[in-house]
Amino acid sequence: MDFAWSERQRAFRSRVVDFLKSELPDDWSEIAQHGPGSRQQTEFSLHFCPKLAEAGLLVPHWPKEFGGDDASVWEHFILGEEMWATGEPRGPQYMNVNWIGPTIMRFGSEEQKQFHLPRAAQGRAIWCQGFSEPSAGSDLASLRTCAERDENNFVINGTKIWTSYAELADHCFLLARTSGKRKDGICIFLVPMDTPGITVRSIPSLVGEGDIHEVFFKDVTVPASAMLGGEGQAWSIITYSLGNERVGIPRYEFSRRTLDTLVARLKEEDRWNDEYIRYRAGQALSACEAARLLVYRVVDERSRGAPPSAESSLARFAVVTADHAVSNFGLEFLPDSFSNNDISMLKPHHERAIASGIASGAAEIQLGIIAQSYLELPRELRT
Amino acid sequence: MNFTIPEECSALIDALQKLLDQETAKAQPVDGSRSFFSHELDGALEESGFLDAASLDDLGPLAAAMVTQEISSKPIIVEAAYSSFLRALVLAEWPRPMAVLTGDYSQATRFLGVAKSVVFLGENEVRASRVEAEDTIPAETFFAYPMARLRDPAACLSRSESVADSAIVRRLLLLATACELSGVLKAALFCVTEHVKDRRQFGRPIGSFQAVQHRLAMCASTISSGEWLARRAAASGSMEHAVMAAGFLQECTNRILYDLHQFMGAMGLTLEHPLYRWSYRAKLLVSDLGGASRQLRDLATITWS
């Protein structure tokens, strides 16, 4: 057991940090205020991600045949830590590198791989995730968007909601039902967002620009070749994808660095001698480091090829706790900085933190998984 | 970065579990007493060398952390944490069991009535003295540990010797607390989990209600966090990690114990159910070394100095 980074891992992190220092523009913190889904950050990503790709730092963990460098799971994670903690200059493209690309690699047809993977590996692809619906959030299996076969096409009708990045996305990773009820009969379609019949409505929110939309599909016709995997296979595919994504974003790192910044400001204001402030800072710090350790355990499992386990769910809850601890620390002791915006990344951190128990699936679902898989408690009766 | 438990540690814990299972089965609780110190198990652990793991080259402090967590998980009380860290690493020549006094040396402390050594931890100095039962007065068994106070603290202090660096001792005691507390809480959690699987109300196991499941799941995540913070602290040898582990666990303990006792209902308020053997150890451990208040403030000071 070893809690230290290897020399190779430290060298990789230095490479990422150096790249960020040299390539992020002076006004990056202003761009980052808008959020990964904003027009500003999305457009920035279309310049930044190709440079990252050229430097071998966009998809280093992908197999070489798909533009990667077969880098380790740990290196992928180190990359994610530095990116997320800086405000995520990859914008919405972080989803491509984390799970959409790997999912297409594993389940896609040759045509899909040939079309989508190079674009993602070159930093030129913006995706949105068409999962949740007005009546199907945590209970995703009850989704109603349907895809009806019409010779060599499917015609899609339905509504998605809470869809991040939809307004600027090129493609939607869409769940739609071709038959059956619940998990059976759900399929995945890779849908170009400029297909006629798709309407996107932005929903103003607390969590940054471009993060929440409603997407309407009215008689949207896509070729049958747009289906990813087999008919009705969606549930097993997304279980694989989301199993890896549950701890995909290293939120604790952003929280930790934000906390460092808040403490620095409190010292400047000569308030660090307040015993209660120091106590709360220690509390928030220990929450961040607890989350880090549990996430690292999951990454360690993944690096050894073990399938996702309830450890991911234990980690997820710890991450949500850490995010809120840091955000609340800032709100309680430096409220004016939220109005002045005089601490860069404070508002973006807050926006990510308040979503951390909701985005990527409600934390309560994880608590249910912990209860059943880790504590082996009986399933709740469903009516 | 590698979280695989070393084979030597796994083998050690397997062997330890066998010993604990044998001795726990033989041990009988004392009727009406909250405290259940097993001299037999305590002696068996000393003789078998499990409490020396920290000082062995092929094992070390991480193994000691896992040994302490495993021993603390049993509803039978022995003096393992102090011996596993403090005695194994800096006070090997001193007899055990050990007791520790900090701050007010007239206060009651755990294990003192059965201890052969007492350690006095001051801010700048650490002293130790040999003790016998006649040097101590038993205290009320409010906590699940055997508690006693010194009959004459000044006399005991006057015959004590300066033994070790106070910062090192403080770090080892924080580790001991963190490891013991994480083991105690984890066992308490799984004890309650077993209960809520069986206990039926309103036509079904109470563990099938979402409110119960979610709160226990939150406890599980928090306890798992503490368990690994403690292990990291043992492995790294860093004071920052030791205060963090102890502070984190001490801060969350009362919330966890509230949930665990709530789900046990009235049964958990009796001495017939063993939950108190864990919860009433945890209730003392929260105040060790100044408690979360001291640890988390120290953590902030160390990290952002």
Side-chain angles (χ1 to χ4, degrees):
Chain A
M1 199 179 289
D2 186 357
F3 296 96
W5 297 109
S6 69
E7 208 175 298
R8 180 190 163 117
Q9 288 163 343
R10 285 198 304 272
F12 182 78
R13 186 184 296 274
S14 296
R15 194 172 140 216
V16 177
V17 169
D18 289 346
F19 182 90
L20 288 169
K21 275 191 186 139
S22 74
E23 296 298 334
L24 286 180
D26 293 341
D27 64 347
W28 163 248
S29 63
E30 284 167 39
I31 297 170
Q33 296 300 309
H34 299 279
S38 63
R39 180 165 300 279
Q40 291 86 343
Q41 250 182 274
T42 303
E43 286 173 358
F44 179 82
S45 82
L46 290 168
H47 297 287
F48 181 78
C49 288
K51 289 189 195 175
L52 258 182
E54 211 176 291
L57 291 175
L58 183 61
V59 291
H61 58 297
W62 285 16
K64 286 185 173 157
E65 66 175 297
F66 297 119
D69 200 23
D70 285 318
S72 72
V73 172
W74 281 112
E75 282 163 0
H76 169 217
F77 223 73
I78 288 169
L79 177 72
E81 282 187 351
E82 295 300 331
M83 291 291 155
W84 191 252
T86 318
E88 194 45 279
R90 297 173 301 184
Q93 297 198 55
Y94 79 88
M95 284 208 308
N96 311 350
V97 312
N98 277 5
W99 69 270
I100 294 182
T103 303
I104 294 174
M105 262 178 238
R106 180 150 170 175
F107 298 101
S109 64
E110 275 315 304
E111 183 190 345
Q112 288 166 346
K113 289 181 200 174
Q114 295 298 328
F115 180 79
H116 291 292
L117 294 179
R119 292 160 55 84
Q122 290 158 19
R124 296 186 293 114
I126 307 293
W127 284 83
C128 65
Q129 181 183 320
F131 281 24
S132 296
E133 298 183 358
S135 59
S138 293
D139 186 13
L140 190 58
S142 66
L143 67 87
R144 296 182 198 168
T145 297
C146 60
E148 283 188 41
R149 172 73 84 152
D150 177 17
E151 295 184 1
N152 292 332
N153 300 315
F154 282 91
V155 180
I156 299 170
N157 282 281
T159 307
K160 296 292 180 184
I161 198 167
W162 320 134
T163 317
S164 299
Y165 321 138
E167 198 164 24
L168 300 169
D170 310 308
H171 285 83
C172 181
F173 192 100
L174 176 73
L175 294 183
R177 182 178 299 288
T178 55
S179 65
K181 293 181 182 178
R182 308 289 307 161
K183 295 174 189 176
D184 300 330
I186 299 178
C187 307
I188 298 170
F189 293 91
L190 308 179
V191 178
M193 286 296 284
D194 61 0
T195 308
I198 299 180
T199 309
V200 177
R201 180 178 81 88
S202 175
I203 302 175
S205 78
L206 299 169
V207 297
E209 301 156 32
D211 262 5
I212 303 190
H213 303 85
E214 210 166 3
V215 186
F216 303 92
F217 295 81
K218 186 166 165 50
D219 297 330
V220 175
T221 302
V222 297
S225 60
M227 185 184 291
L228 180 79
E231 196 160 338
Q233 202 187 358
W235 206 260
S236 59
I237 293 175
I238 63 174
T239 301
Y240 161 81
S241 308
L242 298 183
N244 285 316
E245 187 53 15
R246 201 165 285 149
V247 290
I249 301 178
R251 297 176 181 274
Y252 54 84
E253 186 64 32
F254 194 12
S255 287
R256 171 62 204 267
R257 296 192 197 186
T258 301
L259 184 59
D260 286 341
T261 308
L262 293 170
V263 169
R265 175 57 60 88
L266 288 163
K267 286 187 172 188
E268 283 169 27
E269 295 184 2
D270 209 19
R271 296 168 60 198
W272 189 235
N273 289 332
D274 185 317
E275 302 275 358
Y276 182 63
I277 285 179
R278 294 217 314 281
Y279 173 84
R280 289 286 301 279
Q283 195 178 25
L285 172 62
S286 61
C288 289
E289 293 305 306
R292 180 193 302 280
L293 276 183
L294 291 196
V295 170
Y296 282 178
R297 287 199 68 211
V298 175
V299 178
D300 182 66
E301 266 186 355
R302 206 182 295 170
S303 74
R304 291 182 281 110
S309 70
E311 299 290 344
S312 307
S313 303
L314 290 168
R316 172 82 192 279
F317 182 70
V319 167
V320 174
T321 304
D323 279 354
H324 282 267
V326 172
S327 186
N328 291 340
F329 180 83
L331 288 166
E332 187 165 342
F333 300 117
L334 288 162
D336 207 35
S337 290
F338 288 86
S339 304
N340 284 339
N341 217 12
D342 61 356
I343 297 180
S344 85
M345 306 315 293
L346 182 62
K347 183 169 82 71
H349 174 266
H350 173 79
E351 289 169 352
R352 316 275 194 279
I354 59 171
S356 79
I358 298 168
S360 307
E364 280 66 27
I365 299 298
Q366 305 311 314
L367 295 180
I369 293 172
I370 294 170
Q372 280 146 42
S373 300
Y374 180 74
L375 298 176
E376 298 182 352
L377 292 175
R379 287 185 73 88
E380 191 181 28
L381 293 175
R382 290 182 183 184
T383 52
Chain B
M1 195 69 65
N2 175 7
F3 284 66
T4 307
I5 294 173
E7 263 182 50
E8 306 79 38
C9 280
S10 295
L12 180 75
I13 299 302
D14 283 346
L16 174 63
Q17 280 168 349
K18 288 192 176 73
L19 174 66
L20 291 174
D21 288 344
Q22 273 172 327
E23 296 296 325
T24 309
K26 284 191 281 183
Q28 295 298 321
V30 176
D31 284 339
S33 167
R34 294 191 199 189
S35 159
F36 180 27
F37 183 83
S38 170
H39 291 274
E40 290 76 18
L41 177 57
D42 191 85
L45 286 167
E46 178 175 345
E47 200 177 305
S48 58
F50 287 110
L51 304 179
D52 301 323
S55 63
L56 302 176
D57 284 339
D58 58 343
L59 290 171
L62 174 63
M66 294 181 66
V67 163
T68 303
Q69 288 170 332
E70 187 63 31
I71 294 172
S72 308
S73 73
K74 301 304 171 194
I76 172 171
I77 293 137
V78 294
E79 190 284 278
Y82 292 148
S83 290
S84 287
F85 290 103
L86 192 56
R87 183 169 182 266
L89 291 172
V90 295
L91 296 178
E93 306 305 317
W94 287 79
R96 62 166 308 282
M98 297 194 136
V100 173
L101 281 163
T102 60
D104 176 3
Y105 298 151
S106 68
Q107 66 183 308
T109 194
R110 58 187 183 274
F111 303 123
L112 185 56
V114 298
K116 299 293 183 206
S117 306
V118 60
V119 175
F120 299 94
L121 174 67
E123 280 301 323
N124 300 306
E125 189 184 35
V126 180
R127 303 186 69 86
S129 174
R130 285 166 174 72
V131 287
E132 298 294 336
E134 54 262 30
D135 296 320
T136 68
I137 307 168
E140 160 121 18
T141 52
F142 177 81
F143 299 105
Y145 292 106
M147 304 285 287
R149 58 185 87 241
L150 286 174
R151 195 177 293 279
D152 188 343
C156 197
L157 200 53
S158 70
R159 64 172 194 269
S160 68
E161 354 176 336
S162 178
V163 287
D165 177 80
S166 62
I168 292 174
V169 169
R170 187 174 176 82
R171 182 178 69 78
L172 293 174
L173 290 176
L174 286 166
L175 267 183
T177 294
C179 292
E180 184 158 6
L181 191 47
S182 58
V184 160
L185 290 175
K186 188 171 181 179
L189 169 68
F190 281 96
C191 168
V192 170
T193 304
E194 285 309 303
H195 169 75
V196 302
K197 286 182 200 176
D198 289 336
R199 174 70 175 166
R200 297 180 72 88
Q201 289 290 273
F202 309 107
R204 52 180 167 129
I206 62 173
S208 69
F209 288 94
Q210 194 180 67
V212 174
Q213 293 200 350
H214 282 194
R215 281 161 65 184
L216 287 175
M218 290 193 273
C219 292
S221 175
T222 306
I223 292 168
S224 187
S225 296
E227 180 182 48
W228 282 93
L229 284 170
R231 289 178 182 178
R232 182 178 74 165
S236 74
S238 123
M239 179 60 107
E240 182 182 2
H241 290 162
V243 287
M244 183 186 295
F248 177 89
L249 282 156
Q250 287 173 319
E251 194 275 335
C252 70
T253 289
N254 288 335
R255 286 194 300 280
I256 290 171
L257 292 185
Y258 174 78
D259 279 346
L260 297 185
H261 267 281
Q262 280 299 110
F263 299 137
M264 282 305 306
M267 205 178 308
L269 298 179
T270 74
L271 300 186
E272 292 185 355
H273 188 279
L275 177 60
Y276 75 95
R277 293 194 178 279
W278 294 292
S279 61
Y280 273 74
R281 276 190 273 171
K283 282 178 188 282
L284 181 62
L285 294 169
V286 291
S287 62
D288 269 11
L289 302 159
S293 170
R294 169 82 190 255
Q295 270 54 282
L296 294 178
R297 284 180 292 134
D298 279 359
L299 174 62
T301 302
I302 294 168
T303 304
W304 291 294
S305 59

